[in-house]
Amino acid sequence: MAQWTSTVGAAQLARQLQAQQSRPTGPAGRKPPAYRALADGVRLLVLEGRVPVAARLPAERELALALSVSRTTVAAAYEALRAEGFLESRRGAGSWTAVPAGNPLPARGLEPLPPESLGSMIDLGCASLPAPEPWLTRAFQGAVEELPPYAHTHGDYPAGLPALRQTIADRYTAQGIPTMPEQIMVTTGAMGAIDAICHLFAGRGERIAVESPSYANILQLMRETGARLLPVAMEEGLGGWDMNRWRQVLRDSAPRLAYVVADFHNPTGALADEQQRRDLVDAARSAGTVLVVDETMSELRLDADTAMPRRVCAFDPAGGTVLTVGSASKAFWAGMRIGWVRAAPDVIRSLVSARAYADMGTPVLEQLAINWLMGTGGWEQAVEIRRDQARENRDELVAAVRRELPDWEFAVPRGGLTLWVRTGGLSGSRLAVAGERVGVRVPSGPRFGVDGAFEGYVRLPFTVGGPVADEAAVRLAAAVELVRSGAGAGADAPRSFVA
């Protein structure tokens, strides 16, 4: 059986190779042989996630025609890639991309630093900010006042408190997406929501299409369910979804689920436009794929002049194709583990039934606190505090990185909490190791890819500003010097938890 899960056409691969930025060609400016340049180009596309791992490459003759080179050149390039572990082949099945054995695969690690360590280490692992006081305290005070009637019950609400389900449904309805409380299930954070969805829809061996790069913790959750991940490369910078690639993957592979972050994508910060949203829903519906849309970042528009497109579920209001996941963790506080799913009533009933064998339900007091915030206008005021803090941090972190690391490349997102940075050709995994030595923790790019992609990237969250942002950039620059000198080339980066 072939090991490839997607295909790359000859014309598409030729365009990607020709669009690569010119890079140093070797000592004294000498150009490498044509086959070597081609092999290096394909290898870079794989490491940066522009061509997915396990993607079938064009036949030698097809690619030679598309690139206007000899078939011998392509054959030699493929042979070099096979020797280096970046290509596998089988007679009758073709050739598909791979990563060399022993390359670090993204997994766990980098737990949030304990408070006593924060003075000596700058933690850029978790994209989470402190609570927007006084609203956290007020919310729990309001929740305690409303608690007595619930204290006289069993306290188990597998679908969520009826009052909070109604409040969340009303918020969707107010945005032009008619929603009943029967279409809402309250969960223990967005992770709890997606875990429930994966266990219901995607058993072991099922295919799930994911953006490449994507949110590290969700990728790991899906791996642990035994799913087969199909990476779909995103456009460069803030371009967002490549709809031609999405249509091809959904049509050819018919994955059971597809997971996307349309609003200020984690980690790139991209914002999908309205036409992309409509087209993706249409493509998923045609393929019979359930589309899971993570709206965790949707409230975090940092630039006021950014026009927000309609929610993805606006193009599937009944919730038969689109399952929407929301959360209070990024917009309000990560310590408030409240999330929710919006879907068709029959899907919600199935999720609730399956949940009885997992966590039974979400804590009542936290649900009451979120319901108090959303019902009193406190939510909007708290989110505005969060936006102001993230905007200030973003601007100060961007300025510091540009000053200390001028060869690092990134596009500044207009919302969200993360900056996706190309590290000037350096290994993100080695930078993570070196960073720990100089007092800054940063997750490397492969955490956000499938099977070792994005080695040349790191993710920087908007969690520090002012002098701390300046110092973080100085320490990252010191880590760069360690890597360049060879002193930071130790063991692979610790397997990282990143929020």
Side-chain angles (χ1 to χ4, degrees):
M1 180 178 178
Q3 300 299 306
W4 51 271
T5 57
S6 62
T7 60
V8 180
Q12 176 187 345
L13 182 57
R15 284 195 302 271
Q16 290 179 277
L17 289 165
Q18 292 161 358
Q20 283 180 337
Q21 296 179 349
S22 59
R23 298 179 184 274
T25 56
R30 292 195 302 272
K31 291 185 177 180
Y35 86 90
R36 182 70 263 171
L38 175 55
D40 288 345
V42 173
R43 176 175 55 83
L44 183 62
L45 289 172
V46 172
L47 286 175
E48 292 191 343
R50 304 303 165 194
V51 169
V53 175
R56 187 183 186 188
L57 294 187
E60 294 170 2
R61 187 185 303 276
E62 294 175 356
L63 186 57
L65 287 172
L67 292 172
S68 299
V69 299
S70 71
R71 183 177 176 182
T72 302
T73 296
V74 178
Y78 278 16
E79 181 57 36
L81 289 166
R82 277 190 288 270
E84 295 163 3
F86 286 95
L87 196 69
E88 296 181 8
S89 302
R90 182 177 299 165
R91 186 178 298 276
S95 299
W96 56 92
T97 56
V99 291
N103 267 33
L105 296 183
R108 311 178 185 276
L110 263 183
E111 293 82 5
L113 282 173
E116 61 270 18
S117 301
L118 293 176
S120 59
M121 183 76 72
I122 298 175
D123 187 6
L124 297 181
C126 295
S128 301
L129 290 163
E133 288 287 29
W135 293 105
L136 176 65
T137 300
R138 291 181 181 176
F140 274 103
Q141 289 171 340
V144 169
E145 292 177 1
E146 297 176 6
L147 182 61
Y150 296 94
H152 293 290
T153 72
H154 49 64
D156 287 335
Y157 296 90
L161 291 184
L164 181 56
R165 296 175 75 194
Q166 182 69 62
T167 296
I168 294 171
D170 289 346
R171 290 175 68 84
Y172 282 104
T173 300
Q175 294 172 8
I177 308 164
T179 303
M180 305 177 293
E182 292 79 9
Q183 290 179 263
I184 302 295
M185 180 177 83
V186 181
T187 62
T188 307
M191 290 288 289
I194 295 171
D195 181 60
I197 291 168
C198 287
H199 280 90
L200 180 63
F201 285 96
R204 183 165 296 276
E206 291 278 5
R207 296 184 178 95
I208 302 179
V210 297
E211 297 150 325
S212 183
S214 188
Y215 179 35
N217 289 343
I218 295 299
L219 294 181
Q220 183 59 23
L221 183 156
M222 292 174 175
R223 290 186 188 99
E224 293 187 354
T225 67
R228 296 177 59 193
L229 302 186
L230 306 180
V232 185
M234 297 188 71
E235 297 278 12
E236 290 279 357
L238 300 177
W241 299 336
D242 183 327
M243 284 310 307
N244 289 330
R245 288 175 173 168
W246 272 104
R247 291 189 192 95
Q248 180 183 7
V249 169
L250 295 179
R251 181 184 64 245
D252 294 348
S253 300
R256 187 71 181 94
L257 289 179
Y259 169 78
V260 298
V261 184
D263 299 292
F264 308 120
H265 175 261
N266 185 352
T268 69
L271 176 66
D273 64 36
E274 188 155 310
Q275 190 60 49
Q276 289 175 322
R277 295 166 189 243
R278 185 192 302 275
D279 289 347
L280 186 58
V281 172
D282 289 344
R285 186 181 291 117
S286 297
T289 296
V290 175
L291 184 61
V292 182
V293 180
D294 187 340
E295 293 188 337
T296 300
M297 297 284 190
S298 64
E299 302 264 15
L300 295 176
R301 179 184 63 173
L302 304 185
D303 296 338
D305 60 346
T306 300
M308 292 297 293
R310 284 183 288 174
R311 293 176 181 266
V312 179
C313 59
F315 304 103
D316 179 50
T321 297
V322 177
L323 275 58
T324 303
V325 173
S327 172
S329 65
K330 301 299 185 185
F332 186 71
W333 185 46
M336 186 73 80
R337 306 308 302 168
I338 298 293
W340 54 87
V341 181
R342 181 198 181 276
D346 63 315
V347 173
I348 293 297
R349 286 193 294 270
S350 296
L351 288 170
V352 171
S353 296
R355 188 181 193 181
Y357 305 100
D359 64 357
M360 293 297 292
T362 304
V364 170
L365 190 63
E366 292 186 11
Q367 292 188 71
L368 287 172
I370 291 297
N371 193 55
W372 184 92
L373 281 166
M374 290 182 171
T376 62
W379 176 267
E380 285 72 20
Q381 296 184 61
V383 169
E384 195 57 44
I385 293 172
R386 170 67 74 244
R387 290 185 185 128
D388 291 343
Q389 188 176 16
R391 183 186 308 111
E392 183 177 345
N393 286 354
R394 178 197 64 181
D395 296 346
E396 291 171 346
L397 182 65
V398 164
V401 172
R402 283 177 171 164
R403 181 178 62 252
E404 300 294 337
L405 297 150
D407 59 336
W408 283 18
E409 302 172 36
F410 52 85
V412 181
R414 301 174 70 83
L417 288 172
T418 57
L419 196 65
W420 186 236
V421 182
R422 181 180 286 170
T423 55
L426 297 179
S427 162
S429 297
R430 291 184 174 182
L431 280 169
V433 172
E436 296 241 5
R437 293 178 58 185
V438 298
V440 58
R441 301 181 101 186
V442 58
S444 62
R447 305 287 178 248
F448 305 90
V450 175
D451 294 336
F454 304 107
E455 185 57 65
Y457 289 80
V458 295
R459 190 196 73 172
L460 305 180
F462 309 146
T463 53
V464 296
V468 180
D470 293 339
E471 180 61 23
V474 168
R475 295 185 187 186
L476 286 170
V480 165
E481 292 306 313
L482 280 178
V483 172
R484 285 177 174 163
S485 70
D492 293 324
R495 303 199 184 282
S496 298
F497 169 91
V498 286

